[in-house]
Amino acid sequence: MKPTQPSFLQAMMLMMLSVGLISHVLIIPALLSSAKRDAWISVLLSAGPYLLFTLMLAYVSRFLQHQTLHEWLTSHLGKPLGMLFRVGNSLFFSVRDLLHSA
């Protein structure tokens, strides 16, 4: 099989994922050390947003039907609005990750 290089989008997503993982590796131990015996409350508080996110993800994936998000946005919003939405999302997540990693 011929090896392929990751696309720019895949490389950016990998970098954002690594920033998120590093943040969790640094933040969770600090949270647990400061919360002590009450750390279980943070698990209960995060269960609701996690469930909501999972349900939203399942809802969106049902409409994609084996298309990438880029293809789906372009086909439903048109090429200019799809591109604007993608660029806006990329900027939002890039800035958010840069601010949280600093």
Side-chain angles (χ1 to χ4, degrees), residues 35-57:
K36 305 218 189 288
R37 295 179 57 103
D38 293 330
W40 62 272
I41 295 172
S42 66
V43 174
L44 292 179
L45 292 175
S46 66
Y50 178 74
L51 181 61
L52 180 65
F53 178 75
T54 304
L55 291 174
M56 286 177 12
L57 190 61

Side-chain angles (χ1 to χ4, degrees), residues 9-28:
L9 180 64
Q10 290 171 332
M12 289 301 295
M13 292 296 168
L14 185 62
M15 285 194 292
M16 285 192 281
L17 178 64
S18 66
V19 168
L21 288 174
I22 290 171
S23 296
H24 284 86
V25 166
L26 298 176
I27 291 173
I28 289 178

Side-chain angles (χ1 to χ4, degrees), residues 9 12-13 16 85-95:
L9 180 64
M12 289 301 295
M13 292 296 168
M16 285 192 281
F85 188 77
R86 285 185 16 235
V87 169
N89 275 340
S90 296
L91 286 174
F92 170 76
F93 286 115
S94 298
V95 169

